[in-house]
Amino acid sequence: HNALHAAIAGVSTLALAATSLGALAAQSITVGHTTSDSSHYSEGIDAFAAKLDELSGGEFTVEEHPSGALGGERAMIEGLQIGTIDVVVTSTGPLGNFVPETYVLDLPFLFEDYDQARCVLDGEIGQELLDRMGNHDLVGLAWTENGFRHLTNSQRDVQTPEDAEGLKIRTMENEMHMAAFREMDVHPTPMAFPELFTALQQGTVDGQENPISVILTGNLWEVQDRLSLTGHVYSPAIMLASPIMWDGLSDEEKGWFTEAARAGAEATRSMVSRLETEGVEELKEKGMTVVEDIDKSQFQEAVEPSYEVFTDEYGSEMLDRIRNSS
Ligand code: EAX
């Protein structure tokens, strides 16, 4: 009888030990973003999760919270700083409020095409900016991508800057974007992304601007019938980690996160590239009128004075470096 008890106790001790080992072995990483679970960010998070699993031998699992379930981008960045979220994929939209050095990336018509933007972000300048996150209670894992932003609205076909005058357009909570739209005599209305769909539906704003992936996978075509391929600004995205989670990792584990984040960025970028053409066709099929024949130089000229708003405040050193690097 006693022997049996001892044996049972032994088995349950083993079982307990196995359970706690199991719990230690799999650390769940909370990842938040504002776009849908069929978006370019989500595609990147899948690749991030797969790579992290592979590198760590299952030590880390990823729990994805899409569609702004953990809040808008500004709120999620705050979540990283206080440690309530582990990892966030965000546009640079609200990032300048935390890390002003990144505002330079939000200047309209700064980058001519995807190759140029990716090259700058993957190079010395991009690394320098990632490192700066550390001065602001954030950890920059990798630059990823949102894409070139295009204008949509519910009022009229916009082909020239004059056509856009007077429209009330939701912008991100970003000084540079707002300054650029003001130069175009558009009324910028800053708003967090999770509030956008309803604002468009209820007519609180006439329009918005976002990359094709966001317009398509965020179902914005349901509440916007006109799309103008203005490509007025490249919208970088970044994968950020919480310093609180980060400080608990070994150097080896940190390396896995960085490598996995790069794999995620690659997957995101390839989806962005694919949708830049295919997505426009899909949006047409969904009923959007697409103005493709746009003279971008007219828009560029209209927003040009916003560069002075930037240089007055932040100087031109980084801007010159970016311009000279390509
Ligand atoms: O990062 O707020 C925005 O319009 C962003 O492009 C979106 O949240 C994806």
Side-chain angles (χ1 to χ4, degrees):
H1 193 78
N2 275 347
L4 184 61
H5 256 140
I8 290 171
V11 168
S12 53
T13 308
L14 268 180
L16 257 182
T19 315
S20 53
L21 265 181
L24 271 183
Q27 184 179 335
S28 173
I29 303 299
T30 306
V31 184
H33 65 101
T34 55
T35 61
S36 86
D37 62 3
S38 59
S39 68
H40 54 318
Y41 288 176
S42 194
E43 184 101 342
I45 290 163
D46 287 349
F48 168 76
K51 193 74 185 170
L52 192 58
D53 179 68
E54 178 199 317
L55 293 169
S56 72
E59 189 183 321
F60 296 98
T61 57
V62 167
E63 201 183 294
E64 179 185 355
H65 298 267
S67 306
L70 302 180
E73 294 185 327
R74 185 160 48 82
M76 285 193 295
I77 295 172
E78 285 165 1
L80 292 172
Q81 293 180 320
I82 59 172
T84 52
I85 310 179
D86 298 319
V87 171
V88 167
V89 179
T90 176
S91 71
T92 49
L95 190 60
N97 296 308
F98 300 84
V99 188
E101 296 95 313
T102 64
Y103 272 133
V104 68
L105 301 173
D106 299 303
L107 288 167
F109 298 103
L110 175 65
F111 296 115
E112 245 164 64
D113 54 32
Y114 281 107
D115 282 347
Q116 189 197 1
R118 291 169 184 177
C119 188
V120 167
L121 293 173
D122 290 345
E124 198 182 297
I125 293 173
Q127 189 55 50
E128 217 173 288
L129 290 171
L130 278 181
D131 293 342
R132 296 280 175 90
M133 303 296 144
N135 302 341
H136 303 274
D137 276 335
L138 294 166
V139 178
L141 293 178
W143 286 107
T144 176
E145 186 165 82
N146 197 12
F148 277 95
R149 303 179 78 90
H150 305 288
L151 187 67
T152 72
N153 83 98
S154 57
Q155 301 297 314
R156 51 185 180 258
D157 285 341
V158 172
Q159 190 176 24
T160 65
E162 290 72 38
D163 296 334
E165 274 174 27
L167 288 175
K168 207 169 165 189
I169 300 291
R170 175 270 177 176
T171 68
M172 296 198 286
E173 297 160 283
N174 183 291
E175 275 184 37
M176 293 310 136
H177 286 198
M178 292 174 68
F181 280 110
R182 274 194 209 103
E183 296 302 337
M184 275 174 61
D185 293 320
V186 156
H187 304 299
T189 307
M191 191 184 291
F193 186 78
E195 292 162 38
L196 177 58
F197 189 92
T198 310
L200 292 170
Q201 194 171 39
Q202 298 181 341
T204 316
V205 289
D206 301 314
Q208 65 87 45
E209 39 88 56
N210 249 303
I212 299 298
S213 169
V214 177
I215 299 168
L216 185 64
T217 67
N219 295 338
L220 300 185
W221 50 270
E222 286 180 11
V223 284
Q224 293 279 273
D225 49 15
R226 287 136 211 273
L227 165 64
S228 301
L229 298 181
T230 46
H232 51 275
V233 66
Y234 175 78
S235 186
I238 188 169
M239 196 171 217
L240 291 167
S242 163
I244 293 154
M245 180 213 53
W246 192 250
D247 290 345
L249 300 178
S250 68
D251 285 348
E252 189 186 27
E253 290 168 335
K254 286 176 182 172
W256 296 337
F257 271 75
T258 311
E259 198 179 329
R262 290 200 186 115
E266 207 179 299
T268 291
R269 283 175 177 177
S270 71
M271 180 161 170
V272 169
S273 292
R274 179 167 57 76
L275 288 184
E276 198 63 49
T277 45
E278 282 175 24
V280 174
E281 292 314 306
E282 257 185 81
L283 288 170
K284 283 183 197 164
E285 280 161 28
K286 294 192 180 298
M288 283 193 106
T289 306
V290 184
V291 182
E292 297 180 76
D293 176 25
I294 285 182
D295 179 0
K296 289 192 185 175
S297 64
Q298 289 182 19
F299 284 87
Q300 188 165 6
E301 224 168 89
V303 299
E304 182 66 28
S306 67
Y307 272 70
E308 226 175 282
V309 176
F310 172 81
T311 52
D312 280 356
E313 177 97 25
Y314 303 106
S316 61
E317 193 208 322
M318 195 50 127
L319 182 58
D320 293 340
R321 277 180 65 197
I322 291 176
R323 282 177 161 162
N324 294 333
S325 73
S326 40

